[in-house]
Amino acid sequence: MFEPHGNPRNSSRGLHAALAELAPEDLVKLQDGVYRHFLHEGITFTVLDADNVTEQIIPIDCVPRVLTATEWQHLERGLKQRLAALNLFLKDVYHEGRCLKDRIVPIDLVLGCPQYRMEMRGLNVPHDVYVAVCGTDVVRTHDGFAVLEDNLRVPSGVSYMLACRNAIKEAFPRLYRANRVREVSDYAELLYRTLASLRPSQQAPRVAILTPGMHNAAYYEHAFLAGEMGIDLVEGQDLILRDSALYSRTTSGLRRVDVLYRRIDDDFLDPVQFRSDSVLGAAGVFHAYRAGNVVVANAPGTGVADDKSLYAYVPEIIRYFLGEEPILANIETHLCREPSGLAYTLEHLEELVVKEVGGAGGYGMLVGPHASADERARYAERLRADPANFIAQPVLALSRAPCFIDGAIEPRHVDLRPFVLQGRDEQHVVPGGLCRVALRRGSLVVNSSQGGGCKDLWIVED
């Protein structure tokens, strides 16, 4: 919201003036209002720890983050470019493997990745769209916007983006209209069009969302999106294979499924093809997929492209497949699988953030400056024991945004997860995203499972 010298940016002057005019008790009412909106809508997430599983209302902050249309245009171009290149990369590594032969990406990094699926080798994916829905984590530092990681398997959080918008529109109706904030409300329609465009035939497709069930952390989102798109929400036990096609059991009989938007990891998708002990997926899904009778989005095996080690090669992947310079930068990344990367990481552990290559949700990471000497020593032992399982990045001076914390406006670190859709012929990015907030003072961890919250993102004219 503010320039480095402390004055509000031009794009934020209206919001800043409106907040400045509010009495503290009015801000409290606004914050209470957006919280109650989330409470009444049942907008929750699940927190898992060693002893408990708890359902919590995701914390929401009433002060929107603001970006200009020009800033957004830059982000949008970069996000579309990145997803286009990653889809080409996935097609290549499951077919010709040119980028491996040309040593753009180390072959052992790809073939040794747990997310690489031999079952996908040589399998033609409809319209070459491996990733139809992508959630890319973007941060802003003193050097501008940069991508922190790509989420290509089952990215979540878009329902919180939409819920934040509804809550804030209700809290600031006149200010929202006056700023001509760009809308995100057509996301569900665009998602449906994207999924439907991947259909295996020209007939009107039947699309369904496959959820692991109500105990999944993102179940609220699965149910929300199914309702918004007017499609079936199914669990594995609802699906059955007939004549190499997939059907869902309904009260009126079996109903063919043409496109399955799966919100379940590869391992659990089909007990016949993947983990035999899975009770979450459905037997025969992959058989119907391989027969070309159902489209699975995102395709199995896409996780090889969002492995945190692979991330370091994405700029070269963009140059190789598109012949273009990356529009969005990567964060400097040290691969501990390489001796030099491991040595640097061990030597600078106090200055680095170290992550597991397959980790998510802020679990299993070390923030060097915030860790004790004992914690760093224990983590160093893990690094030495299995270096290929870790990467390291510098501690970033993440941008901060004003938040209403305990009755006062205070700065907190933020990131952003926009959602990119790739259909048969079109890409879409709604002008917004899940803006995550590290609510604890000084914290850089924005994950809701680690004390983070969310706020609305406004894209306004320059």
Side-chain angles (χ1 to χ4, degrees), residues 61-79:
D61 179 67
C62 68
V63 183
R65 182 183 181 187
V66 179
L67 294 181
T68 67
T70 300
E71 291 169 332
W72 180 255
Q73 186 180 34
H74 172 72
L75 273 176
E76 183 179 0
R77 287 176 53 235
L79 294 167

